Amino acid sequence: MIKAIIFDLDDTLYHELEYVKSGFRAVSNYIADKYPISSEGFYKVLLSILKKEGRGQTFDLALEEFGLSLKEVPEMVNLYRIHQPESFRLYPDAERAFNRLSGDYKLGLITDGISKVQWNKIEALGIKDRFDYILVSDDHGRENRKPAPFLYQKMIEEFEVSPQEAVYIGDNPDKDFVTAKKLGLKTVRIIRQQGMHINKKLSEKYEADYEIESLDELEEII
Ligand SMILES: [Mg+2]
């Protein structure tokens, strides 16, 4: 019997692109303050680079396009990381899931990333009190990012449940399920229509036990 439901954050509970966009806004405002470039113009270029090239070099390429020095990159990265996200919200089915599940199950959050960034998101989404326990990987050392076993084990211990009594729900087969499965947790992959990993299909070892398209389907499988 399932007693604990543990969620991933990015693209599982909210649309991560919304966070990226609000970070791009903060960075574009900084550039517009410093150079004769409109914030809107810089923002549009950042977005189009992201669409074409994916993540990684967005800031460098945008600076190049405007003929600006790459020396701005560290400050842009810093601003992106510390910015307070504007209005961005949970997926509606995530909101509904919290309302249905709380009280009946222990609810946990295991999310990877830079502590400040992930906690800013949790704050902006207003979900801190929705969980019985939250673990952000980098609070416990970068080496404990998924798929390291540490966070899953710590969550299970905190909840005083066996792995078989817990389920982990995430969106990214690269790292979300492989270790959770090995430890004995049930795993669920949520396929978001706008998700970044929607077209990824890996070997069985990396894929979740179940796939759903909405958290409304969750109770049918657990
Ligand atoms: Mg994710």
Side-chain angles (χ1 to χ4, degrees), residues 119-153:
W119 282 110
N120 273 349
K121 292 173 184 171
I122 292 164
E123 181 73 26
L125 290 165
I127 51 174
K128 201 171 164 199
D129 297 336
R130 298 286 200 149
F131 295 101
D132 299 293
Y133 198 45
I134 295 177
L135 289 169
V136 175
S137 63
D138 289 15
D139 289 344
H140 307 274
R142 244 188 108 95
E143 68 279 9
N144 285 316
R145 286 188 180 188
K146 294 178 280 186
F150 177 79
L151 299 177
Y152 301 102
Q153 286 165 335

PDB file of all heavy atoms in Angstrom, residues 119-153:
ATOM      1  N   TRP A 119      14.756  26.936  -4.400  1.00  0.00           N
ATOM      2  CA  TRP A 119      13.957  27.497  -3.300  1.00  0.00           C
ATOM      3  C   TRP A 119      13.174  28.729  -3.745  1.00  0.00           C
ATOM      4  O   TRP A 119      12.053  28.962  -3.292  1.00  0.00           O
ATOM      5  CB  TRP A 119      14.833  27.799  -2.079  1.00  0.00           C
ATOM      6  CG  TRP A 119      15.161  26.556  -1.305  1.00  0.00           C
ATOM      7  CD1 TRP A 119      16.378  25.939  -1.201  1.00  0.00           C
ATOM      8  CD2 TRP A 119      14.252  25.751  -0.512  1.00  0.00           C
ATOM      9  NE1 TRP A 119      16.290  24.812  -0.419  1.00  0.00           N
ATOM     10  CE2 TRP A 119      15.005  24.671   0.025  1.00  0.00           C
ATOM     11  CE3 TRP A 119      12.890  25.827  -0.220  1.00  0.00           C
ATOM     12  CZ2 TRP A 119      14.414  23.689   0.843  1.00  0.00           C
ATOM     13  CZ3 TRP A 119      12.313  24.853   0.588  1.00  0.00           C
ATOM     14  CH2 TRP A 119      13.073  23.802   1.116  1.00  0.00           C
ATOM     15  N   ASN A 120      13.752  29.512  -4.651  1.00  0.00           N
ATOM     16  CA  ASN A 120      13.008  30.649  -5.223  1.00  0.00           C
ATOM     17  C   ASN A 120      11.754  30.174  -5.944  1.00  0.00           C
ATOM     18  O   ASN A 120      10.697  30.804  -5.860  1.00  0.00           O
ATOM     19  CB  ASN A 120      13.873  31.416  -6.234  1.00  0.00           C
ATOM     20  CG  ASN A 120      14.728  32.484  -5.573  1.00  0.00           C
ATOM     21  OD1 ASN A 120      14.539  32.801  -4.403  1.00  0.00           O
ATOM     22  ND2 ASN A 120      15.681  33.015  -6.302  1.00  0.00           N
ATOM     23  N   LYS A 121      11.901  29.086  -6.672  1.00  0.00           N
ATOM     24  CA  LYS A 121      10.736  28.543  -7.393  1.00  0.00           C
ATOM     25  C   LYS A 121       9.672  28.057  -6.406  1.00  0.00           C
ATOM     26  O   LYS A 121       8.479  28.322  -6.592  1.00  0.00           O
ATOM     27  CB  LYS A 121      11.168  27.376  -8.286  1.00  0.00           C
ATOM     28  CG  LYS A 121      12.052  27.749  -9.449  1.00  0.00           C
ATOM     29  CD  LYS A 121      12.545  26.468 -10.137  1.00  0.00           C
ATOM     30  CE  LYS A 121      13.524  26.749 -11.256  1.00  0.00           C
ATOM     31  NZ  LYS A 121      14.148  25.498 -11.751  1.00  0.00           N
ATOM     32  N   ILE A 122      10.124  27.337  -5.389  1.00  0.00           N
ATOM     33  CA  ILE A 122       9.184  26.802  -4.383  1.00  0.00           C
ATOM     34  C   ILE A 122       8.434  27.953  -3.712  1.00  0.00           C
ATOM     35  O   ILE A 122       7.212  27.910  -3.530  1.00  0.00           O
ATOM     36  CB  ILE A 122       9.960  25.954  -3.346  1.00  0.00           C
ATOM     37  CG1 ILE A 122      10.491  24.682  -4.004  1.00  0.00           C
ATOM     38  CG2 ILE A 122       9.093  25.641  -2.125  1.00  0.00           C
ATOM     39  CD1 ILE A 122      11.574  23.964  -3.210  1.00  0.00           C
ATOM     40  N   GLU A 123       9.190  29.000  -3.426  1.00  0.00           N
ATOM     41  CA  GLU A 123       8.613  30.201  -2.823  1.00  0.00           C
ATOM     42  C   GLU A 123       7.590  30.851  -3.757  1.00  0.00           C
ATOM     43  O   GLU A 123       6.454  31.138  -3.371  1.00  0.00           O
ATOM     44  CB  GLU A 123       9.774  31.178  -2.537  1.00  0.00           C
ATOM     45  CG  GLU A 123       9.393  32.474  -1.888  1.00  0.00           C
ATOM     46  CD  GLU A 123       9.032  32.294  -0.417  1.00  0.00           C
ATOM     47  OE1 GLU A 123       9.527  31.331   0.216  1.00  0.00           O
ATOM     48  OE2 GLU A 123       8.246  33.111   0.069  1.00  0.00           O
ATOM     49  N   ALA A 124       8.009  31.054  -5.000  1.00  0.00           N
ATOM     50  CA  ALA A 124       7.135  31.749  -5.960  1.00  0.00           C
ATOM     51  C   ALA A 124       5.865  30.947  -6.255  1.00  0.00           C
ATOM     52  O   ALA A 124       4.809  31.513  -6.500  1.00  0.00           O
ATOM     53  CB  ALA A 124       7.886  32.028  -7.262  1.00  0.00           C
ATOM     54  N   LEU A 125       5.971  29.635  -6.223  1.00  0.00           N
ATOM     55  CA  LEU A 125       4.800  28.791  -6.477  1.00  0.00           C
ATOM     56  C   LEU A 125       3.924  28.668  -5.227  1.00  0.00           C
ATOM     57  O   LEU A 125       2.788  28.205  -5.307  1.00  0.00           O
ATOM     58  CB  LEU A 125       5.234  27.388  -6.930  1.00  0.00           C
ATOM     59  CG  LEU A 125       5.853  27.291  -8.331  1.00  0.00           C
ATOM     60  CD1 LEU A 125       6.559  25.945  -8.510  1.00  0.00           C
ATOM     61  CD2 LEU A 125       4.801  27.479  -9.412  1.00  0.00           C
ATOM     62  N   GLY A 126       4.476  29.083  -4.084  1.00  0.00           N
ATOM     63  CA  GLY A 126       3.709  29.020  -2.840  1.00  0.00           C
ATOM     64  C   GLY A 126       3.386  27.600  -2.398  1.00  0.00           C
ATOM     65  O   GLY A 126       2.303  27.324  -1.892  1.00  0.00           O
ATOM     66  N   ILE A 127       4.345  26.681  -2.598  1.00  0.00           N
ATOM     67  CA  ILE A 127       4.026  25.270  -2.325  1.00  0.00           C
ATOM     68  C   ILE A 127       4.767  24.683  -1.127  1.00  0.00           C
ATOM     69  O   ILE A 127       4.647  23.491  -0.857  1.00  0.00           O
ATOM     70  CB  ILE A 127       4.313  24.373  -3.558  1.00  0.00           C
ATOM     71  CG1 ILE A 127       5.733  24.608  -4.084  1.00  0.00           C
ATOM     72  CG2 ILE A 127       3.283  24.645  -4.642  1.00  0.00           C
ATOM     73  CD1 ILE A 127       6.118  23.651  -5.207  1.00  0.00           C
ATOM     74  N   LYS A 128       5.504  25.526  -0.420  1.00  0.00           N
ATOM     75  CA  LYS A 128       6.303  24.999   0.688  1.00  0.00           C
ATOM     76  C   LYS A 128       5.442  24.221   1.689  1.00  0.00           C
ATOM     77  O   LYS A 128       5.819  23.147   2.151  1.00  0.00           O
ATOM     78  CB  LYS A 128       7.003  26.165   1.390  1.00  0.00           C
ATOM     79  CG  LYS A 128       8.199  25.728   2.184  1.00  0.00           C
ATOM     80  CD  LYS A 128       8.986  26.913   2.683  1.00  0.00           C
ATOM     81  CE  LYS A 128       9.925  26.441   3.771  1.00  0.00           C
ATOM     82  NZ  LYS A 128      10.412  27.527   4.611  1.00  0.00           N
ATOM     83  N   ASP A 129       4.293  24.765   2.016  1.00  0.00           N
ATOM     84  CA  ASP A 129       3.436  24.134   3.028  1.00  0.00           C
ATOM     85  C   ASP A 129       2.631  22.956   2.500  1.00  0.00           C
ATOM     86  O   ASP A 129       1.956  22.278   3.263  1.00  0.00           O
ATOM     87  CB  ASP A 129       2.473  25.168   3.620  1.00  0.00           C
ATOM     88  CG  ASP A 129       3.233  26.267   4.338  1.00  0.00           C
ATOM     89  OD1 ASP A 129       4.373  26.003   4.766  1.00  0.00           O
ATOM     90  OD2 ASP A 129       2.693  27.388   4.453  1.00  0.00           O
ATOM     91  N   ARG A 130       2.704  22.741   1.201  1.00  0.00           N
ATOM     92  CA  ARG A 130       1.972  21.614   0.623  1.00  0.00           C
ATOM     93  C   ARG A 130       2.677  20.291   0.909  1.00  0.00           C
ATOM     94  O   ARG A 130       2.083  19.226   0.761  1.00  0.00           O
ATOM     95  CB  ARG A 130       1.861  21.779  -0.896  1.00  0.00           C
ATOM     96  CG  ARG A 130       1.108  23.004  -1.322  1.00  0.00           C
ATOM     97  CD  ARG A 130      -0.370  22.817  -1.085  1.00  0.00           C
ATOM     98  NE  ARG A 130      -1.144  23.732  -1.893  1.00  0.00           N
ATOM     99  CZ  ARG A 130      -2.363  23.449  -2.351  1.00  0.00           C
ATOM    100  NH1 ARG A 130      -2.912  22.288  -2.073  1.00  0.00           N
ATOM    101  NH2 ARG A 130      -3.012  24.332  -3.054  1.00  0.00           N
ATOM    102  N   PHE A 131       3.971  20.375   1.254  1.00  0.00           N
ATOM    103  CA  PHE A 131       4.756  19.151   1.432  1.00  0.00           C
ATOM    104  C   PHE A 131       5.085  18.891   2.893  1.00  0.00           C
ATOM    105  O   PHE A 131       5.290  19.826   3.671  1.00  0.00           O
ATOM    106  CB  PHE A 131       6.071  19.249   0.643  1.00  0.00           C
ATOM    107  CG  PHE A 131       5.863  19.317  -0.832  1.00  0.00           C
ATOM    108  CD1 PHE A 131       5.945  20.528  -1.503  1.00  0.00           C
ATOM    109  CD2 PHE A 131       5.556  18.173  -1.553  1.00  0.00           C
ATOM    110  CE1 PHE A 131       5.731  20.592  -2.871  1.00  0.00           C
ATOM    111  CE2 PHE A 131       5.343  18.228  -2.917  1.00  0.00           C
ATOM    112  CZ  PHE A 131       5.438  19.442  -3.575  1.00  0.00           C
ATOM    113  N   ASP A 132       5.178  17.606   3.234  1.00  0.00           N
ATOM    114  CA  ASP A 132       5.640  17.230   4.561  1.00  0.00           C
ATOM    115  C   ASP A 132       7.159  17.315   4.652  1.00  0.00           C
ATOM    116  O   ASP A 132       7.718  17.491   5.722  1.00  0.00           O
ATOM    117  CB  ASP A 132       5.177  15.802   4.881  1.00  0.00           C
ATOM    118  CG  ASP A 132       3.660  15.710   4.861  1.00  0.00           C
ATOM    119  OD1 ASP A 132       3.033  16.319   5.736  1.00  0.00           O
ATOM    120  OD2 ASP A 132       3.103  15.065   3.955  1.00  0.00           O
ATOM    121  N   TYR A 133       7.816  17.164   3.508  1.00  0.00           N
ATOM    122  CA  TYR A 133       9.281  17.199   3.516  1.00  0.00           C
ATOM    123  C   TYR A 133       9.773  17.577   2.120  1.00  0.00           C
ATOM    124  O   TYR A 133       9.268  17.070   1.118  1.00  0.00           O
ATOM    125  CB  TYR A 133       9.815  15.819   3.910  1.00  0.00           C
ATOM    126  CG  TYR A 133      11.254  15.808   4.378  1.00  0.00           C
ATOM    127  CD1 TYR A 133      11.741  16.750   5.282  1.00  0.00           C
ATOM    128  CD2 TYR A 133      12.135  14.815   3.935  1.00  0.00           C
ATOM    129  CE1 TYR A 133      13.055  16.716   5.719  1.00  0.00           C
ATOM    130  CE2 TYR A 133      13.450  14.771   4.376  1.00  0.00           C
ATOM    131  CZ  TYR A 133      13.902  15.721   5.264  1.00  0.00           C
ATOM    132  OH  TYR A 133      15.208  15.677   5.694  1.00  0.00           O
ATOM    133  N   ILE A 134      10.760  18.476   2.087  1.00  0.00           N
ATOM    134  CA  ILE A 134      11.308  18.946   0.804  1.00  0.00           C
ATOM    135  C   ILE A 134      12.818  18.736   0.810  1.00  0.00           C
ATOM    136  O   ILE A 134      13.493  19.102   1.773  1.00  0.00           O
ATOM    137  CB  ILE A 134      11.012  20.454   0.593  1.00  0.00           C
ATOM    138  CG1 ILE A 134       9.503  20.686   0.473  1.00  0.00           C
ATOM    139  CG2 ILE A 134      11.739  20.985  -0.644  1.00  0.00           C
ATOM    140  CD1 ILE A 134       9.102  22.159   0.343  1.00  0.00           C
ATOM    141  N   LEU A 135      13.327  18.164  -0.252  1.00  0.00           N
ATOM    142  CA  LEU A 135      14.772  18.015  -0.392  1.00  0.00           C
ATOM    143  C   LEU A 135      15.231  18.647  -1.702  1.00  0.00           C
ATOM    144  O   LEU A 135      14.761  18.265  -2.781  1.00  0.00           O
ATOM    145  CB  LEU A 135      15.156  16.531  -0.380  1.00  0.00           C
ATOM    146  CG  LEU A 135      15.027  15.817   0.968  1.00  0.00           C
ATOM    147  CD1 LEU A 135      15.171  14.303   0.778  1.00  0.00           C
ATOM    148  CD2 LEU A 135      16.079  16.331   1.950  1.00  0.00           C
ATOM    149  N   VAL A 136      16.132  19.620  -1.595  1.00  0.00           N
ATOM    150  CA  VAL A 136      16.769  20.232  -2.770  1.00  0.00           C
ATOM    151  C   VAL A 136      18.190  19.688  -2.819  1.00  0.00           C
ATOM    152  O   VAL A 136      18.943  19.821  -1.853  1.00  0.00           O
ATOM    153  CB  VAL A 136      16.771  21.771  -2.660  1.00  0.00           C
ATOM    154  CG1 VAL A 136      17.535  22.386  -3.827  1.00  0.00           C
ATOM    155  CG2 VAL A 136      15.348  22.318  -2.616  1.00  0.00           C
ATOM    156  N   SER A 137      18.527  19.088  -3.929  1.00  0.00           N
ATOM    157  CA  SER A 137      19.786  18.320  -3.995  1.00  0.00           C
ATOM    158  C   SER A 137      20.997  19.109  -3.493  1.00  0.00           C
ATOM    159  O   SER A 137      21.767  18.619  -2.662  1.00  0.00           O
ATOM    160  CB  SER A 137      20.031  17.838  -5.422  1.00  0.00           C
ATOM    161  OG  SER A 137      20.196  18.942  -6.291  1.00  0.00           O
ATOM    162  N   ASP A 138      21.164  20.328  -3.977  1.00  0.00           N
ATOM    163  CA  ASP A 138      22.425  21.013  -3.695  1.00  0.00           C
ATOM    164  C   ASP A 138      22.572  21.462  -2.240  1.00  0.00           C
ATOM    165  O   ASP A 138      23.667  21.805  -1.802  1.00  0.00           O
ATOM    166  CB  ASP A 138      22.630  22.184  -4.661  1.00  0.00           C
ATOM    167  CG  ASP A 138      22.926  21.700  -6.076  1.00  0.00           C
ATOM    168  OD1 ASP A 138      22.680  20.500  -6.348  1.00  0.00           O
ATOM    169  OD2 ASP A 138      23.386  22.499  -6.908  1.00  0.00           O
ATOM    170  N   ASP A 139      21.486  21.423  -1.471  1.00  0.00           N
ATOM    171  CA  ASP A 139      21.607  21.649  -0.032  1.00  0.00           C
ATOM    172  C   ASP A 139      22.421  20.520   0.611  1.00  0.00           C
ATOM    173  O   ASP A 139      22.916  20.650   1.730  1.00  0.00           O
ATOM    174  CB  ASP A 139      20.229  21.665   0.649  1.00  0.00           C
ATOM    175  CG  ASP A 139      19.429  22.916   0.303  1.00  0.00           C
ATOM    176  OD1 ASP A 139      20.034  23.885  -0.192  1.00  0.00           O
ATOM    177  OD2 ASP A 139      18.205  22.910   0.530  1.00  0.00           O
ATOM    178  N   HIS A 140      22.515  19.405  -0.087  1.00  0.00           N
ATOM    179  CA  HIS A 140      23.172  18.217   0.460  1.00  0.00           C
ATOM    180  C   HIS A 140      24.391  17.830  -0.358  1.00  0.00           C
ATOM    181  O   HIS A 140      24.886  16.719  -0.252  1.00  0.00           O
ATOM    182  CB  HIS A 140      22.165  17.060   0.522  1.00  0.00           C
ATOM    183  CG  HIS A 140      20.914  17.439   1.237  1.00  0.00           C
ATOM    184  ND1 HIS A 140      20.787  17.341   2.612  1.00  0.00           N
ATOM    185  CD2 HIS A 140      19.772  18.010   0.789  1.00  0.00           C
ATOM    186  CE1 HIS A 140      19.590  17.807   2.959  1.00  0.00           C
ATOM    187  NE2 HIS A 140      18.961  18.226   1.884  1.00  0.00           N
ATOM    188  N   GLY A 141      24.846  18.753  -1.192  1.00  0.00           N
ATOM    189  CA  GLY A 141      26.031  18.508  -2.016  1.00  0.00           C
ATOM    190  C   GLY A 141      25.633  18.161  -3.435  1.00  0.00           C
ATOM    191  O   GLY A 141      24.742  17.348  -3.655  1.00  0.00           O
ATOM    192  N   ARG A 142      26.306  18.809  -4.364  1.00  0.00           N
ATOM    193  CA  ARG A 142      26.020  18.598  -5.790  1.00  0.00           C
ATOM    194  C   ARG A 142      26.092  17.139  -6.196  1.00  0.00           C
ATOM    195  O   ARG A 142      25.411  16.696  -7.107  1.00  0.00           O
ATOM    196  CB  ARG A 142      27.079  19.366  -6.597  1.00  0.00           C
ATOM    197  CG  ARG A 142      26.553  20.486  -7.431  1.00  0.00           C
ATOM    198  CD  ARG A 142      27.679  21.009  -8.290  1.00  0.00           C
ATOM    199  NE  ARG A 142      27.450  20.602  -9.673  1.00  0.00           N
ATOM    200  CZ  ARG A 142      26.842  21.366 -10.576  1.00  0.00           C
ATOM    201  NH1 ARG A 142      26.450  22.574 -10.245  1.00  0.00           N
ATOM    202  NH2 ARG A 142      26.659  20.949 -11.789  1.00  0.00           N
ATOM    203  N   GLU A 143      26.967  16.402  -5.476  1.00  0.00           N
ATOM    204  CA  GLU A 143      27.146  14.982  -5.833  1.00  0.00           C
ATOM    205  C   GLU A 143      25.887  14.173  -5.526  1.00  0.00           C
ATOM    206  O   GLU A 143      25.744  13.036  -5.955  1.00  0.00           O
ATOM    207  CB  GLU A 143      28.373  14.397  -5.113  1.00  0.00           C
ATOM    208  CG  GLU A 143      28.248  14.250  -3.588  1.00  0.00           C
ATOM    209  CD  GLU A 143      28.502  15.565  -2.822  1.00  0.00           C
ATOM    210  OE1 GLU A 143      28.610  16.638  -3.456  1.00  0.00           O
ATOM    211  OE2 GLU A 143      28.579  15.500  -1.575  1.00  0.00           O
ATOM    212  N   ASN A 144      24.972  14.782  -4.777  1.00  0.00           N
ATOM    213  CA  ASN A 144      23.738  14.071  -4.448  1.00  0.00           C
ATOM    214  C   ASN A 144      22.576  14.415  -5.372  1.00  0.00           C
ATOM    215  O   ASN A 144      21.418  14.109  -5.077  1.00  0.00           O
ATOM    216  CB  ASN A 144      23.358  14.334  -2.994  1.00  0.00           C
ATOM    217  CG  ASN A 144      24.260  13.548  -2.057  1.00  0.00           C
ATOM    218  OD1 ASN A 144      24.528  12.371  -2.287  1.00  0.00           O
ATOM    219  ND2 ASN A 144      24.765  14.202  -1.023  1.00  0.00           N
ATOM    220  N   ARG A 145      22.894  15.051  -6.498  1.00  0.00           N
ATOM    221  CA  ARG A 145      21.835  15.247  -7.491  1.00  0.00           C
ATOM    222  C   ARG A 145      21.362  13.891  -8.012  1.00  0.00           C
ATOM    223  O   ARG A 145      22.105  12.918  -8.002  1.00  0.00           O
ATOM    224  CB  ARG A 145      22.367  16.075  -8.675  1.00  0.00           C
ATOM    225  CG  ARG A 145      22.540  17.546  -8.315  1.00  0.00           C
ATOM    226  CD  ARG A 145      22.875  18.385  -9.534  1.00  0.00           C
ATOM    227  NE  ARG A 145      23.021  19.789  -9.133  1.00  0.00           N
ATOM    228  CZ  ARG A 145      23.167  20.802  -9.992  1.00  0.00           C
ATOM    229  NH1 ARG A 145      23.203  20.568 -11.274  1.00  0.00           N
ATOM    230  NH2 ARG A 145      23.284  22.036  -9.541  1.00  0.00           N
ATOM    231  N   LYS A 146      20.103  13.845  -8.454  1.00  0.00           N
ATOM    232  CA  LYS A 146      19.605  12.624  -9.066  1.00  0.00           C
ATOM    233  C   LYS A 146      20.508  12.231 -10.237  1.00  0.00           C
ATOM    234  O   LYS A 146      21.000  13.126 -10.909  1.00  0.00           O
ATOM    235  CB  LYS A 146      18.164  12.833  -9.570  1.00  0.00           C
ATOM    236  CG  LYS A 146      17.164  13.061  -8.462  1.00  0.00           C
ATOM    237  CD  LYS A 146      15.768  13.314  -9.007  1.00  0.00           C
ATOM    238  CE  LYS A 146      15.571  14.727  -9.478  1.00  0.00           C
ATOM    239  NZ  LYS A 146      14.207  15.072  -9.882  1.00  0.00           N
ATOM    240  N   PRO A 147      20.777  11.008 -10.506  1.00  0.00           N
ATOM    241  CA  PRO A 147      20.162   9.831  -9.894  1.00  0.00           C
ATOM    242  C   PRO A 147      20.892   9.260  -8.679  1.00  0.00           C
ATOM    243  O   PRO A 147      20.738   8.075  -8.395  1.00  0.00           O
ATOM    244  CB  PRO A 147      20.172   8.831 -11.046  1.00  0.00           C
ATOM    245  CG  PRO A 147      21.425   9.151 -11.803  1.00  0.00           C
ATOM    246  CD  PRO A 147      21.627  10.640 -11.647  1.00  0.00           C
ATOM    247  N   ALA A 148      21.629  10.067  -7.933  1.00  0.00           N
ATOM    248  CA  ALA A 148      22.269   9.544  -6.713  1.00  0.00           C
ATOM    249  C   ALA A 148      21.164   9.051  -5.758  1.00  0.00           C
ATOM    250  O   ALA A 148      20.069   9.602  -5.734  1.00  0.00           O
ATOM    251  CB  ALA A 148      23.089  10.650  -6.059  1.00  0.00           C
ATOM    252  N   PRO A 149      21.468   8.023  -4.963  1.00  0.00           N
ATOM    253  CA  PRO A 149      20.429   7.436  -4.107  1.00  0.00           C
ATOM    254  C   PRO A 149      20.095   8.244  -2.860  1.00  0.00           C
ATOM    255  O   PRO A 149      19.026   8.075  -2.271  1.00  0.00           O
ATOM    256  CB  PRO A 149      21.016   6.075  -3.697  1.00  0.00           C
ATOM    257  CG  PRO A 149      22.492   6.227  -3.853  1.00  0.00           C
ATOM    258  CD  PRO A 149      22.721   7.237  -4.935  1.00  0.00           C
ATOM    259  N   PHE A 150      20.992   9.144  -2.454  1.00  0.00           N
ATOM    260  CA  PHE A 150      20.899   9.793  -1.149  1.00  0.00           C
ATOM    261  C   PHE A 150      19.536  10.437  -0.851  1.00  0.00           C
ATOM    262  O   PHE A 150      18.937  10.213   0.195  1.00  0.00           O
ATOM    263  CB  PHE A 150      22.024  10.840  -1.030  1.00  0.00           C
ATOM    264  CG  PHE A 150      21.981  11.621   0.250  1.00  0.00           C
ATOM    265  CD1 PHE A 150      22.473  11.077   1.433  1.00  0.00           C
ATOM    266  CD2 PHE A 150      21.445  12.903   0.289  1.00  0.00           C
ATOM    267  CE1 PHE A 150      22.421  11.789   2.619  1.00  0.00           C
ATOM    268  CE2 PHE A 150      21.394  13.632   1.466  1.00  0.00           C
ATOM    269  CZ  PHE A 150      21.893  13.073   2.630  1.00  0.00           C
ATOM    270  N   LEU A 151      19.044  11.239  -1.790  1.00  0.00           N
ATOM    271  CA  LEU A 151      17.805  11.986  -1.510  1.00  0.00           C
ATOM    272  C   LEU A 151      16.591  11.067  -1.387  1.00  0.00           C
ATOM    273  O   LEU A 151      15.726  11.284  -0.541  1.00  0.00           O
ATOM    274  CB  LEU A 151      17.545  13.034  -2.600  1.00  0.00           C
ATOM    275  CG  LEU A 151      18.617  14.119  -2.759  1.00  0.00           C
ATOM    276  CD1 LEU A 151      18.254  15.036  -3.911  1.00  0.00           C
ATOM    277  CD2 LEU A 151      18.806  14.929  -1.487  1.00  0.00           C
ATOM    278  N   TYR A 152      16.548  10.059  -2.222  1.00  0.00           N
ATOM    279  CA  TYR A 152      15.436   9.100  -2.141  1.00  0.00           C
ATOM    280  C   TYR A 152      15.469   8.398  -0.777  1.00  0.00           C
ATOM    281  O   TYR A 152      14.440   8.243  -0.112  1.00  0.00           O
ATOM    282  CB  TYR A 152      15.531   8.046  -3.242  1.00  0.00           C
ATOM    283  CG  TYR A 152      15.510   8.588  -4.651  1.00  0.00           C
ATOM    284  CD1 TYR A 152      16.681   8.707  -5.387  1.00  0.00           C
ATOM    285  CD2 TYR A 152      14.321   8.953  -5.260  1.00  0.00           C
ATOM    286  CE1 TYR A 152      16.677   9.178  -6.689  1.00  0.00           C
ATOM    287  CE2 TYR A 152      14.293   9.427  -6.561  1.00  0.00           C
ATOM    288  CZ  TYR A 152      15.484   9.542  -7.272  1.00  0.00           C
ATOM    289  OH  TYR A 152      15.470  10.020  -8.566  1.00  0.00           O
ATOM    290  N   GLN A 153      16.674   7.966  -0.381  1.00  0.00           N
ATOM    291  CA  GLN A 153      16.813   7.255   0.901  1.00  0.00           C
ATOM    292  C   GLN A 153      16.451   8.142   2.073  1.00  0.00           C
ATOM    293  O   GLN A 153      15.771   7.727   3.013  1.00  0.00           O
ATOM    294  CB  GLN A 153      18.256   6.738   1.046  1.00  0.00           C
ATOM    295  CG  GLN A 153      18.531   5.550   0.158  1.00  0.00           C
ATOM    296  CD  GLN A 153      20.017   5.247   0.004  1.00  0.00           C
ATOM    297  OE1 GLN A 153      20.867   6.127   0.153  1.00  0.00           O
ATOM    298  NE2 GLN A 153      20.334   3.997  -0.304  1.00  0.00           N
TER     299      GLN A 153
END
